[in-house]
Structure formats: C-alpha cells, structure tokens
Amino acid sequence: MAGRVSAPGAAKGFVLPQVPKILVYIVGFIPAVWLFYAGITDQLGADPMRYLEQALGLWALRFLIATLAITPLRQLFNVNLLRYRRAIGLLAFYYAALHLITYLVLDQGLDVAAIVADILKRPYITIGMATFVILVPLAVTSNNAAIRRMGGQAWARLHKLVYVAAIGAALHFILVVKSWPTEPLVYAAIVAVLLGYRLVRSLVKKPSPRRRAA
Amino acid sequence: AAPLSAVKSPFSTDEKLTSREDVTSYNNFYEFGTGKDDPAAKAKSLKTSPWAVKVDGMVGKPAEFAIEDLIKSSTLEERIYRMRCVEGWSMVIPWVGFPLADLIKRVEPLGSAKYVAFETAYRPEEMPGMDTVFPVLEWPYVEGLRLDEAMNPLAILAVGLYGETLPNQNGAPIRLVVPWKYGFKGIKSITRISFVDKQPATSWNKQAPSEYGFYANVNPSVDHPRWSQATERRIGEGGLFVKRRPTLMFNGYAEQVASLYTGMDLRKLY
C-alpha cells in the first residue's frame, strides 16, 4: 500500500488512504439491499412501491453527481479519487437500472401499452428513459478492454455523455413532482454547479481562437 | 383524538378500508412540508382549539361558528368514501362529518351567490412548511366549488375519521371532502367559507393552470399533462406488488354527480 500512496495525484496534496475498489461496490449497494429488505418486510410506509422506485432513482442521481464531483475535487482541492470513479459511475448505472426495472415491473406491471404511452406522452418518462439509454454505452465501455479498443480520446469523448445524462436525471426529477419543492431543485443546482465549473474552466484554460480574436 | 358518534350513510362504499395507520401517515398537506410523512411528523404544532369558521359573503346570515358548536348542532354521519389523489393513488376512508349543504342552508345564501370559496388557516408559526425559500404554493390555501356542487349531498365537511376527531395531518378540525374530485380539492383546516358571485381562485389552479383546473373532477380519460389518470394504486393493497386498478369516471360517483356537468366539455373544463 505504501508504494501506491505516492501515486502522482496524491503526492502533492493530502494523502488519502486507499481502499479496495470492491469496498466501493459493497458500500454502494447497501442502500439497495436495505430498500429491498425493507420493502419485502413492509417497512417502507403506506406506498412502498413508490418509495422504492423514488429511492432507487435518487441513489442513481446521487452516484451520478459523485462521479461528476471527482474531477473538481482533484483540480480544486487536490483530493484524488480517480481510481474509484469507474465503480461509482457503474453504481449510478446499476441504480438507474433497478429504478427502471421497478417502474416497468412493480409500478406498471409490465403493461406494454401503458409503458409505451408513458414514454411517448410523458416528458418526464421520455427524459428518464433517454437518460438510461445514454448510460448504457457508458456502462458497457467502463472497462480497460474498451478503453484499449476505442482509444483514449474516442473513449473520453463518448464518456462526455455523462454530462447529458446528469442533466436528464435532474430534469426527470424536477418534472415528476408537483409545484417546485426544494429537493429536486437542490439536486439540479448541484448538477448545474458541477457542469458549470467545467464550462468555466474550459473557457478560462484554452479559449478558442475565435474567442480570442473577439 | 376524541370519539365521535355518527350514523351510517347510504352513500358509503362497502370497499375494504385503507388502514388507519396509512390514512394518517401518508398525507399531502403542504403547509407542513412536501414529503408524504411531513404532515404526520410536523402537524402537531397546529393549535386546533379554539377554532372558528367564519362564514361570510353573499349570505343572509353571516356567522362565525366555533368548531364545537358546529359539531354539536350537526347530525354527524359516517361516510366511507374513495379518495383519489391527482398523483395516481387512492384510499378508502371512513370520514365522519355532515353535509356541506346543511351549513349552507343555515346561512341562507342570497340569489346572487354562485360559488363557495374556502380558505385554510394561515399560520406560518404553526405550519413549518409555509416557511420555505421558494413557497410551494401561494398561501393561504384556497379552494372553491360551484354552489350546486357544494349543495350536492355527497359533499361533506368532515370533522373526523375512523370514529374520532380528525388528526391534524388530515386537516383538523374541519375539512372539505368531495369524493368525485381529486384529493387536492378537499381543503383542510378551514377557517373561512365565503359565498361569492365569481369563480374563486383555487391554489393549485393558480400554481399551474394547465395542470390543475377549477373543477378537478376525477376523469380517467383526461390525463394530467405529465402523467396518465387512467389507473391508480390503492394504498395498502399488495404492498410492493400493488396492482393498478382502473380509475372510474367521477371516482365512481357518476350516478350522483354527472348531472352537474351536462353540456360541459370536461376536456376543457378539467
């Protein structure tokens, strides 16, 4: 372990103890295990299906936000969590998949007509479904073999889609509720800050020639 | 909660009741927060005694009723009604109350009165959900009915449920119940009832007019712009594996209320 701690990112600032990546998955799946256990043992309140569905979706959004926080944490605070980003990103995908399965199976009872109508007619479902579709290629290529096959640049370009997914997830949450309660707005604001940070940084760091001319 | 004695009503459904636990723990009462469990957790701070309901506007006998006098002077009935929330879930609730028409007759509305407007208590210091950065709704909560809707025998003012006075989270000490309309029409913790000649403003209609109409009649064929209203989940039925059931026109009360809307385009006047 001592050798690994002196990896380039961590060397400059403060040194984080490294944990095995498998621990990220184990901890990450605790909410899902608890939710299913509580659901089966009737501890999720009066509307357990809805609670499960919403909680899984919320965890997907939280993990998505966590992956987006890793770069700013490194650049601004010198905290390097890069080696856990793949695991956290995949957790976001797994939770999104569980959220979708809950909607398809428990909420809609696999009523294909109702589901298709939902996807076509309800903006929040259209957006939610599109967000999940975006996450699929990202999850499929979240391994070293895919990076080698695609080449680093193409892979990085593809994975920029996570920004679109984050916007989609935040919008999906805002559109599903009545009025403007605080919680979805707070999540949307966090996504906006994390994406806004990248935008600002890209403008400051290497302004395009056109911009410079103006 | 104090016990209330009530006579049975032919308007009651014989469907299986939603448990008292679910009825009193899963609520929308945004004055106490937008979470379903917020009202049960936070509504204790609402002081429901003393409580008066002011009845004014276009009436021959405006009055202010103390809640205990209103209860004493009314024949309380048990009304077991289906309750359909605009969000797509439903319950079966044994309300205790009296016909809204009884109160209306006592105050003798003038011929000019066409609508009834309702208002919830405005008490930010007792209602923590009102004090948010972005108010979820414009306070106080207001609702309204056309006078003939209000006179329909199904419309009641509820003062209790499950044989006892209302828990605060369900709208103590007095609330409206109009079972053929979406739940948000059932304004809670009423302090004022006014008789007016113009269609009164209603809270959700002001918040999002394209989503919540003045009438808000339960109607499976008119979708909410963002979700379907064709089916509903009955709370407490099947747990995680709850099966959706078809939503009924006017929430199953078409026989009693459909005539109120003859000739109206319910797609436009949702």
Side-chain angles (χ1 to χ4, degrees), chain A residues 70-124:
Chain A
I70 285 173
T71 294
L73 275 178
R74 188 165 49 90
Q75 292 170 342
L76 296 176
F77 304 104
N78 220 354
V79 176
N80 192 345
L81 297 171
L82 209 54
R83 67 189 296 266
Y84 309 114
R85 186 164 68 183
R86 178 184 293 168
I88 297 171
L90 282 169
L91 279 167
F93 172 75
Y94 294 137
Y95 273 92
L98 291 172
H99 171 64
L100 175 62
I101 291 168
T102 305
Y103 161 75
L104 296 174
V105 179
L106 295 181
D107 190 345
Q108 296 297 329
L110 289 175
D111 180 341
V112 176
I115 292 165
V116 170
D118 260 1
I119 295 172
L120 296 179
K121 284 163 73 179
R122 327 271 167 231
Y124 82 92

Side-chain angles (χ1 to χ4, degrees), chain B residues 4-264:
Chain B
L4 291 171
S5 58
V7 297
K8 299 226 174 297
S9 161
F11 291 120
S12 286
T13 170
D14 54 7
E15 284 172 74
K16 187 174 178 289
L17 299 183
T18 303
S19 75
R20 192 198 153 93
E21 165 68 18
D22 286 350
V23 170
T24 58
S25 67
Y26 192 76
N27 308 101
N28 278 327
F29 196 167
Y30 281 11
E31 282 84 339
F32 298 99
T34 52
K36 293 281 184 292
D37 45 1
D38 283 335
K42 296 175 186 167
K44 286 173 194 72
S45 53
L46 180 67
K47 292 191 199 78
T48 58
S49 178
W51 192 278
V53 180
K54 186 177 176 186
V55 186
D56 61 4
M58 298 170 167
V59 287
K61 292 182 172 172
E64 189 161 294
F65 297 98
I67 184 68
E68 55 278 11
D69 297 338
L70 207 48
I71 293 177
K72 243 181 281 168
S73 61
S74 306
T75 308
L76 297 183
E77 297 175 37
E78 182 190 60
R79 296 278 184 107
I80 304 172
Y81 281 161
R82 289 176 290 277
M83 205 280 293
R84 169 63 155 81
C85 180
V86 74
E87 295 164 352
W89 51 268
S90 62
M91 293 184 175
V92 178
I93 305 172
W95 300 107
V96 176
F98 55 89
L100 175 56
D102 288 0
L103 180 79
I104 294 176
K105 285 175 203 152
R106 282 165 76 166
V107 296
E108 298 175 5
L110 307 177
S112 50
K114 297 284 179 274
Y115 294 89
V116 189
F118 302 84
E119 209 172 286
T120 295
Y122 178 86
R123 299 185 191 169
E125 65 290 347
E126 296 175 26
M127 298 170 141
M130 294 172 68
D131 188 24
T132 52
V133 185
F134 305 102
V136 213
L137 292 168
E138 195 182 315
W139 311 113
Y141 198 91
V142 288
E143 257 305 337
L145 295 171
R146 228 166 51 194
L147 187 57
D148 58 340
E149 296 180 307
M151 291 296 291
N152 187 279
L154 283 183
I156 60 166
L157 288 169
V159 294
L161 56 82
Y162 267 102
E164 294 183 337
T165 51
L166 283 176
N168 285 3
Q169 62 267 34
N170 294 88
I174 186 164
R175 64 166 293 165
L176 178 68
V177 177
V178 274
W180 70 96
K181 292 175 180 285
Y182 291 117
F184 68 83
K185 291 294 286 186
I187 184 170
K188 301 182 172 93
S189 305
I190 298 169
T191 55
R192 186 174 174 203
I193 301 176
S194 300
F195 290 76
V196 293
D197 57 353
K198 299 218 167 53
Q199 182 174 301
T202 60
S203 284
W204 280 102
N205 183 245
K206 281 193 287 181
Q207 205 279 329
S210 61
E211 302 191 4
Y212 312 99
F214 171 80
Y215 286 96
N217 292 317
V218 175
N219 188 341
S221 59
V222 176
D223 287 341
H224 182 278
R226 288 183 286 138
W227 53 80
S228 165
Q229 295 291 26
T231 59
E232 65 200 53
R233 283 171 300 112
R234 183 62 57 81
I235 297 298
E237 189 181 71
L240 266 189
F241 305 98
V242 58
K243 217 169 131 43
R244 284 176 176 271
R245 51 166 73 214
T247 289
L248 304 174
M249 188 62 200
F250 296 117
N251 202 22
Y253 298 98
E255 199 187 315
Q256 290 90 352
V257 302
S259 61
L260 292 167
Y261 308 104
T262 37
M264 279 173 56

